């Protein structure tokens, strides 16, 4: 039986991404809509990276992390949207076995790295508000480099195991992935292997990528809010809160949609809702991040005017 399954797997050379296949009449509209999103995302994030690099006033830990986040968001979106746009135009939704797992690896890596990077940014805001006298010491150039490099490294190393476990599954049934990119839940549905052990391992690895940075971020903001409430003047509270409002908005958007997607039951009736919510954290959040940071930040506005 195992040999038969293995033989079937050798003939599998590609998957078919169904995407939003139940809306064939909207292909052109969806292509134009997501093309606009991709253009705005790339333009906004690249602009932030350039401003952080060029403008001397933005050479601080907060903007260093923001530059890293914009770089990550550019890679994150470029991993999913270009192929999605090609599928809208050509109606060829095929993706090779290797390309699918490569896309999944980069998606998982960048998502994990973003969790840790958002946590590093929240720690930066915690030090700035709760320990301002020690800020220069705690957030030195070396500390910032280690936090940023650690975030990227954690993401790309942790996702190797997740991708390997998924790729070792046997796929001998339908090869249609009911999603617009290669995610592990739709892939598990297609497998004819026993997936209980794989699901357990992948859940543990996914939790290791998301829970520690989420809890660190949560703890940082509890301390930040507590410290802000102790400030006697309303103007002081407002000024302190404005320094972390943008980051708090981004964290809420990212974790809010991510948690809902992976907590939702994997029932067939909820797959369309799952896809729509996935659009938020994979496509819309990277587009909104530059807008949130630039519209609320005086230093960015000044840099743009220069």
């Amino acid at each position: 039986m195992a040999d038969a399954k293995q033989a079937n797997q050798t003939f599998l050379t590609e998957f078919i991404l169904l995407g939003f296949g139940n809306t064939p009449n909207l292909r052109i509209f969806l292509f134009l809509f997501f093309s606009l999103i991709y253009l705005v995302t790339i333009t906004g994030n690249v602009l932030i990276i350039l401003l952080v690099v060029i403008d001397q006033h933005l050479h601080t830990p907060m903007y260093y992390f923001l530059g890293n986040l914009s770089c990550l968001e550019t890679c994150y979106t470029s991993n999913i949207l270009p192929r999605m746009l090609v599928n809208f135009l050509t109606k060829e939704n095929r993706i090779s076995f290797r390309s699918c797992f490569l896309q999944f690896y980069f998606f998982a890596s960048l998502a994990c790295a973003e969790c840790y990077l958002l946590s590093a940014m929240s720690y930066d805001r915690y030090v700035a508000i709760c320990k301002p006298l020690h800020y220069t010491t705690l957030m030195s150039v070396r500390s910032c480099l280690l936090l940023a490099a650690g975030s990227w490294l954690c993401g790309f190393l942790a996702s190797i195991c997740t991708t390997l476990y998924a790729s070792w599954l046997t796929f001998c049934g339908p090869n249609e992935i009911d999603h617009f990119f290669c995610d592990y839940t739709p892939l598990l549905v297609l497998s004819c292997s026993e997936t209980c052990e794989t699901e357990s391992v992948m859940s543990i690895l996914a939790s290791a990528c998301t829970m520690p940075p989420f809890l660190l971020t949560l703890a940082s903001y509890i301390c930040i809010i507590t410290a802000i409430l102790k400030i006697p003047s309303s103007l002081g509270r407002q000024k302190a809160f404005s320094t972390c409002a943008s980051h708090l908005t981004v964290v809420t958007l990212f974790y809010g949609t991510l948690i809902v997607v992976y907590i939702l039951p994997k029932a067939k009736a909820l797959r369309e809702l799952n896809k729509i919510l996935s659009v938020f954290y994979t496509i819309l959040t990277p587009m909104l991040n530059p807008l949130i940071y630039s519209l609320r930040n005086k230093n960015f506005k000044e840099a743009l005017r220069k």
Side-chain angles (χ1 to χ4, degrees):
M1 185 66 182
D3 292 339
K5 286 183 178 181
Q6 186 65 33
N8 282 335
Q9 189 182 19
T10 58
F11 291 105
L12 180 61
T13 59
E14 62 185 14
F15 292 107
I16 297 173
L17 290 168
L18 296 181
F20 300 96
N22 56 347
T23 55
N25 297 328
L26 296 175
R27 276 183 177 271
I28 299 301
F29 169 75
L30 290 174
F31 171 78
L32 294 173
F33 176 68
F34 284 110
S35 294
L36 180 61
I37 287 176
Y38 188 48
L39 180 63
V40 172
T41 302
I42 297 299
T43 303
N45 283 295
V46 170
L47 183 60
I48 283 180
I49 295 169
L50 290 174
L51 288 174
V52 170
V53 171
I54 294 169
D55 197 298
Q56 294 291 328
H57 295 95
L58 302 182
H59 289 181
T60 62
M62 183 175 74
Y63 297 111
Y64 170 73
F65 289 127
L66 184 55
N68 272 269
L69 181 64
S70 291
C71 181
L72 188 149
E73 299 286 32
T74 302
C75 299
Y76 195 54
T77 309
S78 298
N79 180 47
I80 295 172
L81 263 179
R83 179 174 289 276
M84 187 176 166
L85 294 174
V86 169
N87 290 344
F88 281 134
L89 281 185
T90 63
K91 299 181 183 179
E92 287 290 331
N93 298 348
R94 302 177 188 278
I95 182 170
S96 69
F97 186 88
R98 183 175 296 177
S99 296
C100 183
F101 282 98
L102 195 61
Q103 185 187 58
F104 169 69
Y105 170 69
F106 280 109
F107 158 72
S109 299
L110 293 166
C112 181
E114 182 162 0
C115 290
Y116 279 95
L117 194 56
L118 289 173
S119 179
M121 294 173 77
S122 66
Y123 174 71
D124 170 67
R125 293 298 84 206
Y126 159 75
V127 176
I129 292 172
C130 300
K131 298 180 182 293
L133 298 178
H134 302 283
Y135 184 77
T136 306
T137 306
L138 293 174
M139 298 307 296
S140 62
V141 173
R142 184 174 179 274
S143 298
C144 292
L145 286 171
L146 287 174
L147 285 169
S151 299
W152 287 89
L153 200 61
C154 283
F156 280 87
L157 288 180
S159 299
I160 291 174
C161 298
T162 312
T163 308
L164 285 175
Y165 262 95
S167 64
W168 287 338
L169 294 171
T170 303
F171 297 92
C172 54
N175 65 341
E176 295 181 337
I177 299 175
D178 192 10
H179 216 315
F180 57 86
F181 71 99
C182 292
D183 197 1
Y184 89 90
T185 302
L187 282 169
L188 288 179
V189 172
L190 298 182
S191 176
C192 52
S193 305
E194 178 55 55
T195 61
C196 289
E197 183 182 342
T198 304
E199 284 187 64
S200 299
V201 171
M202 291 178 78
S203 295
I204 292 168
L205 289 171
S207 298
C209 281
T210 54
M211 289 308 295
F214 174 72
L215 292 174
L216 285 170
T217 302
L218 187 63
S220 295
Y221 273 104
I222 289 172
C223 294
I224 288 169
I225 292 169
T226 303
I228 289 174
L229 292 175
K230 290 179 181 177
I231 297 174
S233 69
S234 59
L235 184 63
R237 286 195 297 270
Q238 185 179 353
K239 187 177 179 181
F241 185 74
S242 67
T243 63
C244 57
S246 297
H247 181 250
L248 184 59
T249 305
V250 168
V251 167
T252 304
L253 280 172
F254 179 75
Y255 277 113
T257 52
L258 188 67
I259 289 169
V260 171
V261 164
Y262 288 100
I263 283 181
L264 275 177
K266 309 307 175 188
K268 189 174 181 180
L270 295 174
R271 283 181 191 172
E272 289 304 314
L273 177 60
N274 185 296
K275 278 192 275 188
I276 292 168
L277 290 172
S278 296
V279 168
F280 277 89
Y281 76 88
T282 58
I283 296 173
L284 293 182
T285 302
M287 179 191 71
L288 292 173
N289 285 357
L291 298 175
I292 292 168
Y293 279 107
S294 60
L295 290 175
R296 296 183 60 92
N297 194 292
K298 291 179 181 179
N299 290 333
F300 267 121
K301 292 176 184 178
E302 185 62 31
L304 280 172
R305 277 196 292 268
K306 289 180 181 179

